[in-house]
């Protein structure tokens, strides 16, 4: 008989083992080590007491790791990973975990529950539709799989590392909201987790008119934005070129809103190629 409960700190080693096994055959390589996975959960804001595990006796056979935070003023939850080990799939365990945790999230005052699902993962997509989630955005993932040789930039572009970002100012430059994992709240946690967050700013008259935020250890560009009046001036290209020079890892940018056409064109013109597509799905609680 499968039993469900929320997690405690002591459960973490078993959480890692179960999720490692559950994602061993996933479409995207999710392999990592126990320390890095824990930091990733902390980075995304995962709360053990708002997450749920499925237990067969003492064995953890499935888990949903939920992050909590604020989304545009709304108390929100994000599914940072749901997995069931192969031998226990197609037994209703994902549904059971959802039915266990949702009433508890509602009682705690959460109003929004979000997740991402790879478009090709038909089984998961249909499951979330049955559970009441709706597609809110289409996301694309781009990776710099081609040449990383930087193009020449105009010599009048001034780039500086931003040590103490004014997030309100940076967010005012956005045209599209980032996904949960690329949010400013996540990036604010990066420093304490030693995630090597680099924020490069483009300066005009000592004012930041554009920036890029990159987790150099993973080669992941989380955010990039330019003030509207300074777009199409080569500033975004200069930021990408500098990141290519600084970062040893292959650069990638995950979960870009597919309506961000100028950003997508910038990436494609800079040697990036689309590798995956996902749906963002949301359930109103």
């Amino acid at each position: 008989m499968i039993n469900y409960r929320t997690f405690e700190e002591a459960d973490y080693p078993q959480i890692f083992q179960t999720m490692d096994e559950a994602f061993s055959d996933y479409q995207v390589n999710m392999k990592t080590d126990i320390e890095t996975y824990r930091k990733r959960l902390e980075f995304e804001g995962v709360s053990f007491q708002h997450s749920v595990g499925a237990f067969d006796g003492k064995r953890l056979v499935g888990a949903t790791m939920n992050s909590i935070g604020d989304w545009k003023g709304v108390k929100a939850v994000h599914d940072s990973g749901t997995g069931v080990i192969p031998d226990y799939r197609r037994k209703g365990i994902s549904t059971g975990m959802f039915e266990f945790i949702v009433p508890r999230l509602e009682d705690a005052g959460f109003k929004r529950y979000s997740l991402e699902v790879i478009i090709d993962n038909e089984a998961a997509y249909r499951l979330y539709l049955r559970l009441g989630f709706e597609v809110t955005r289409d996301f694309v993932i781009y990776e710099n799989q081609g040449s990383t040789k930087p193009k020449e930039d105009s010599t009048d572009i001034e780039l500086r590392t931003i040590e103490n970002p004014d997030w309100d100012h940076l967010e005012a430059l956005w045209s599209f909201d980032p996904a949960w994992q690329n949010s400013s709240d996540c990036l604010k946690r990066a420093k304490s987790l030693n995630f090597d967050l680099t924020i490069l700013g483009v300066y005009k008259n000592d004012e930041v008119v554009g920036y890029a935020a990159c987790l150099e250890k993973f080669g992941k560009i989380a955010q990039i934005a330019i003030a509207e009046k300074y777009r199409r001036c080569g500033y975004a290209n200069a930021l990408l070129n500098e990141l290519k020079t600084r970062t040893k890892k292959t650069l990638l940018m995950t979960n870009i809103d597919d309506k961000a056409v100028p950003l997508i064109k910038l990436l494609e013109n800079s040697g990036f190629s689309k590798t995956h597509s996902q749906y963002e799905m949301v359930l109103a609680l």
Side-chain angles (χ1 to χ4, degrees):
M1 179 179 176
I2 302 298
N3 295 302
Y4 302 93
R5 66 167 173 84
T6 56
F7 289 119
E8 301 173 355
E9 285 292 323
D11 293 314
Y12 178 67
Q14 195 171 188
I15 291 170
F16 172 75
Q17 293 170 3
T18 297
M19 296 301 264
D20 185 57
E21 183 176 355
F23 282 92
S24 60
D25 56 353
Y26 194 53
Q27 293 102 316
V28 178
N29 181 11
M30 303 288 286
K31 195 70 178 175
T32 187
D33 58 79
I34 191 167
E35 181 180 348
T36 301
Y37 182 63
R38 179 57 189 264
K39 286 186 176 181
R40 200 203 97 193
L41 296 183
E42 293 177 11
F43 173 76
E44 294 189 20
V46 165
S47 167
F48 283 9
Q49 71 183 83
H50 296 98
S51 301
V52 54
F55 292 83
D56 185 358
K58 293 184 178 182
R59 185 185 184 192
L60 180 64
V61 298
T64 293
M65 306 307 298
N66 285 328
S67 301
I68 62 172
D70 176 273
W71 186 265
K72 296 185 177 180
V74 172
K75 195 173 180 182
V77 182
H78 181 76
D79 180 350
S80 288
T82 289
V84 177
I85 64 176
D87 290 347
Y88 284 80
R89 292 174 187 164
R90 292 175 290 279
K91 299 180 185 295
I93 288 175
S94 293
T95 300
M97 291 191 293
F98 174 85
E99 292 176 344
F100 174 89
I101 201 63
V102 164
R104 289 161 173 80
L105 297 175
E106 292 174 328
D107 289 345
F110 292 98
K111 302 298 183 184
R112 185 183 194 269
Y113 196 179
S114 61
L115 54 84
E116 290 103 27
V117 59
I118 290 179
I119 287 178
D120 293 340
N121 192 345
E122 285 286 338
Y125 173 63
R126 290 195 302 268
L127 168 66
Y128 294 127
L129 286 177
R130 288 198 302 272
L131 294 175
F133 286 82
E134 296 180 351
V135 174
T136 49
R137 290 189 286 180
D138 287 5
F139 285 152
V140 288
I141 298 171
Y142 271 75
E143 187 172 342
N144 187 201
Q145 298 176 322
S147 170
T148 61
K149 183 179 179 180
K151 300 176 182 178
E152 289 189 10
D153 301 316
S154 172
T155 56
D156 66 351
I157 296 177
E158 181 185 3
L159 301 181
R160 297 186 221 158
T161 300
I162 302 174
E163 300 293 348
N164 298 298
D166 178 347
W167 288 105
D168 289 338
H169 177 72
L170 298 184
E171 290 173 8
L173 305 178
W174 294 354
S175 297
F176 298 91
D177 293 318
W180 184 282
Q181 304 91 333
N182 298 329
S183 68
S184 301
D185 284 344
C186 287
L187 296 183
K188 290 172 188 177
R189 290 188 282 265
K191 187 173 183 179
S192 64
L193 296 169
N194 297 317
F195 269 15
D196 297 325
L197 174 65
T198 294
I199 303 178
L200 287 176
V202 181
Y203 284 78
K204 295 289 286 187
N205 300 320
D206 216 35
E207 178 188 357
V208 178
V209 299
Y211 78 101
C214 180
L215 299 164
E216 288 195 30
K217 179 178 178 181
F218 306 102
K220 179 182 175 182
I221 303 169
Q223 299 177 7
I224 184 168
I226 305 292
E228 187 171 4
K229 68 180 288 188
Y230 292 105
R231 292 172 190 167
R232 293 173 293 279
C233 296
Y235 296 167
N237 187 68
L239 289 167
L240 287 179
N241 285 345
E242 182 64 19
L243 290 177
K244 289 177 182 179
T245 300
R246 290 186 177 209
T247 309
K248 295 179 181 179
K249 291 278 189 178
T250 299
L251 288 174
L252 75 157
M253 193 165 186
T254 64
N255 294 349
I256 308 163
D257 190 325
D258 75 345
K259 292 184 174 59
V261 175
L263 173 57
I264 291 170
K265 286 184 177 178
L266 167 73
L267 294 173
E268 290 177 343
N269 290 336
S270 298
F272 287 71
S273 300
K274 184 170 74 171
T275 57
H276 294 91
S277 300
Q278 295 198 112
Y279 294 125
E280 177 190 62
M281 303 184 75
V282 173
L283 173 69
L285 300 176

